[in-house]
Amino acid sequence: MLRPFRLRAAKARAALCALTALTALAVPVASPATAASAFQVSAPRSSTLQVFALQGPVLQGPALPARALAGPASPDGVSASPDASAPPDEAANARRDQRWVLEMLGVEQAWKVTRGAGVTVALVDSGVDDRVAELRGRVISGPDMGSIEFDRDRPDAGRHGTAMASLIAGAGRSGTQGVFGTAPEARVLSLPLIVEERADGRSPLRDENLGSNAGSPLALAIRYAVDHGAQVVSMSLGAYGPEQSEREAVAYALSKGVVLVAAVGNDGDSAYTLEKGTSFWNFPAGYSGVIGVGAVDEMGRPAEFSSDNLSVQVVAPGVGVPVVLPGGGYGSSEGTSSAAALVAGVAALIKAKYPTISPHLVARALTSSATARPRGGYDDHLGFGVVNAAGALAEAGRLTAGAVRVPLPVPEGMHFGEGLPSAGPSTPGPEPARLWLYGAGLVGGLLAFAGGVVMLNRRPDRDTGGGAGRSAGRSTGQGASGAVAPAGRWRRRSRA
C-alpha cells in the first residue's frame, strides 16, 4: 500500500516536547511563524511510499547552528528562506549558492552542447507551481495520480514538487539570477502523486484509495508519462516493497526507450543500516533498469542519510542544494530527492542530443563517465561515482556511434568481394564413409563374438576303446585285472 513519505515524525514529537520544556526555562520560544530550523531528528521509517528528503519540527533557542539560518524546515525536507517573496538579492544569492552544484556536475560545459530543448521530463512527485519565474511556460500539468486533487492555492502546496522541478528545468531569473536546473530548456510534465503531509503528521490521502491489486498509483503515473511523450521520468519517492504492476510499468517504459531515474532513499543513518552495514532497498530505485541515485555533500562525501546498497548506481549533490519554492521564494533541500532530480536533468541532456539512445546506454554513459570514482571502481555508497554531465554527453556520443551499423554498398553480382559463391552447407550428420566403417566394425565384432560362443560349446572327441572297457568293467563288477568283486558288497545299502 502506498502512502506519502512520513519521515522522522514519532521521535520528533517526543524530542520536541523535551526541548520545549528545556527551552522554556532558558529563553522565550518564538512563534511558529518565525521559528528557525534549529532542530532535526530521526524517526522510524515507513514501509510505504516515501518522499526522500530530510525533515523535522523546529524551535527557536540559544546557540542556533549555522544551517538553521536557512529558515524553517518542512515535512518534505525543503527549507524555506525567511522571505518567500524572493527579492532580487535573494535570487542572486541563490545563484551564487548553487554554483558548487553545477560545477560538481560539469553542467555548464555540457550546456555548450545542449540545454535539453525538446525533451519532456515527467516528475512523479507533489504538484508544481508553474507560476514561479524559473519554470514559467515550461510546466505541463498532468492528472492527479493520487486519490485527491492537488490544490495549488494552498500555501504549502507543491513545495517538494516545485523544488525538484527547479533542479531539473529551472531557467533562472533575469538571465543570470535564481536557480538553474541541469536541463534549463527541458519541459516538465507534472504528475502529482505525493501530497505533503499535514501538521499532525497524518496523510491527507485515504489509505484504501492509495493502491490496489490492479495497479499502484506509481505504475499508472509511469505508464501515463510514457504514453504522453516523456523521454525521462524522475521519481524522488519510494517504498520498501516491490509490486508486480510497477515492475510491468518499468518494463513498458524501458521498451519504449524512456529513461527512469529514482532516489535510492534516506535510510543511511537508520538503526538497521548502522547495525547491518547496508540499507533496505527502496523501489522504484531497486527495479532493474532504473537508475538509482544517492547523495553526496559539497566535498563529494556520501551523505550520512543516503541509503547504501547495490541499487546505488551514481551520486549527485543532495546536501544544502538551493531550490525554488512555491510563490517564487528560495530555500535549500537535503535528501536523495535532490540528487535524483539533478541526474534526471542530465539524462534529459543526453536524450536531447541523442534522441534514439536506449535507456541502458544512457545509464552506461552516466556510470562510465562518472568522476570521483571509489576505490575499485564501485561501492554501495557512491555507486560508480559523481555524475558528470559533459563527460556523459561525450560518452553517449561514443556509445551511439558504436551501436549504429552502417551497411556497406555491394556491387551487383558481387558476393562480399570477387569469386564464386561458396558451396552450400553440407548435410548435417556423420560422413557416409565413417558410417560404413563403423557399421563394418560392428558386424565384425558380432561375428567374432558368435564364433567364440560356438567354440566354447563344442565337446572334445573321446577314446571309445578305453572308455568302453572301463564302462564294461564297472557294469560287470570286474576291475582292470579281471577280478570279480564280491556280490554282496554292491547289492544294496539299505537294511532288509
Side-chain angles (χ1 to χ4, degrees):
M1 181 176 59
L2 302 177
R3 297 177 184 168
F5 192 23
R6 294 198 287 272
L7 261 183
R8 308 162 185 254
K11 290 186 178 179
R13 297 191 192 96
L16 179 60
C17 294
L19 185 60
T20 301
L22 294 175
T23 308
L25 298 176
V27 295
V29 178
S31 65
T34 60
S37 58
F39 185 56
Q40 292 185 342
V41 294
S42 299
R45 303 308 200 266
S46 169
S47 61
T48 54
L49 192 65
Q50 307 172 349
V51 175
F52 294 129
L54 300 182
Q55 61 137 14
V58 294
L59 289 175
Q60 176 114 19
L64 294 179
R67 288 174 55 189
L69 301 178
S74 76
D76 53 22
V78 180
S79 299
S81 59
D83 185 3
S85 61
D89 58 335
E90 289 294 329
N93 292 339
R95 175 70 169 136
R96 183 192 65 244
D97 295 341
Q98 190 197 21
R99 185 163 298 279
W100 73 269
V101 176
L102 303 180
E103 290 178 352
M104 177 178 287
L105 296 175
V107 170
E108 293 181 333
Q109 184 178 355
W111 287 347
K112 298 177 182 178
V113 179
T114 178
R115 295 171 68 90
V119 175
T120 299
V121 180
L123 178 61
V124 185
D125 208 286
S126 70
V128 176
D129 184 359
D130 56 3
R131 296 170 292 190
V132 300
E134 282 84 351
L135 298 171
R136 189 175 295 124
R138 288 178 300 105
V139 176
I140 305 168
S141 297
D144 296 294
M145 295 296 162
S147 60
I148 66 175
E149 294 184 358
F150 168 64
D151 183 6
R152 60 180 293 172
D153 294 324
R154 288 193 298 115
D156 61 341
R159 286 174 58 90
H160 195 269
T162 303
M164 299 304 106
S166 68
L167 296 178
I168 296 171
R173 177 181 298 189
S174 302
T176 59
Q177 298 181 347
V179 171
F180 283 79
T182 47
E185 294 183 3
R187 295 185 301 271
V188 173
L189 172 59
S190 174
L191 299 177
L193 174 60
I194 301 300
V195 180
E196 287 80 6
E197 60 187 12
R198 302 183 305 199
D200 58 4
R202 298 178 59 190
S203 168
L205 303 181
R206 298 189 300 275
D207 290 347
E208 61 271 18
N209 294 329
L210 286 171
S212 66
N213 293 331
S216 73
L218 178 60
L220 298 177
I222 293 174
R223 289 182 177 274
Y224 182 93
V226 174
D227 293 338
H228 289 79
Q231 291 96 330
V232 180
V233 179
S234 177
M235 298 169 286
S236 294
L237 46 83
Y240 292 135
E243 290 199 14
Q244 181 64 28
S245 61
E246 294 174 3
R247 291 183 185 274
E248 294 173 352
V250 167
Y252 176 70
L254 296 175
S255 69
K256 298 295 184 179
V258 178
V259 180
L260 304 175
V261 181
V264 298
N266 295 341
D267 292 321
D269 57 353
S270 67
Y272 177 88
T273 301
L274 297 178
E275 177 184 356
K276 304 296 184 180
T278 186
S279 302
F280 280 118
W281 282 52
N282 283 281
F283 298 89
Y287 294 126
S288 178
V290 178
I291 301 173
V293 185
V296 293
D297 60 16
E298 187 173 357
M299 304 302 295
R301 297 169 299 197
E304 293 183 356
F305 55 79
S306 184
S307 294
D308 54 326
N309 54 51
L310 295 180
S311 69
V312 182
Q313 294 188 38
V314 290
V315 291
V319 178
V321 178
V323 294
V324 180
L325 302 177
Y330 298 100
S332 63
S333 175
E334 291 194 358
T336 53
S337 286
S338 307
L342 291 168
V343 173
V346 176
L349 296 180
I350 298 176
K351 292 293 285 186
K353 179 63 177 177
Y354 307 102
T356 60
I357 188 172
S358 62
H360 80 276
L361 288 183
V362 173
R364 184 174 173 183
L366 292 171
T367 55
S368 60
S369 63
T371 60
R373 302 176 74 88
R375 181 176 301 177
Y378 178 87
D379 67 29
D380 54 6
H381 292 86
L382 294 171
F384 290 96
V386 179
V387 166
N388 182 275
L393 275 174
E395 184 66 14
R398 188 185 68 82
L399 293 173
T400 53
V404 176
R405 295 181 179 179
V406 180
L408 298 176
V410 179
E412 185 67 24
M414 302 289 287
H415 303 273
F416 302 101
E418 298 180 355
L420 297 175
S422 61
S426 58
T427 304
E431 297 179 2
R434 291 188 178 183
L435 184 62
W436 282 105
L437 180 62
Y438 295 153
L442 179 62
V443 172
L446 291 175
L447 292 176
F449 177 76
V453 172
V454 171
M455 294 297 294
L456 291 175
N457 288 332
R458 288 186 59 188
R459 294 183 178 181
D461 294 337
R462 297 179 179 179
D463 186 356
T464 57
R470 288 193 296 270
S471 177
R474 291 193 188 99
S475 61
T476 57
Q478 189 175 1
S481 59
V484 179
R489 182 177 178 183
W490 300 100
R491 187 171 298 171
R492 62 180 181 184
R493 294 182 180 179
S494 62
R495 294 180 183 181

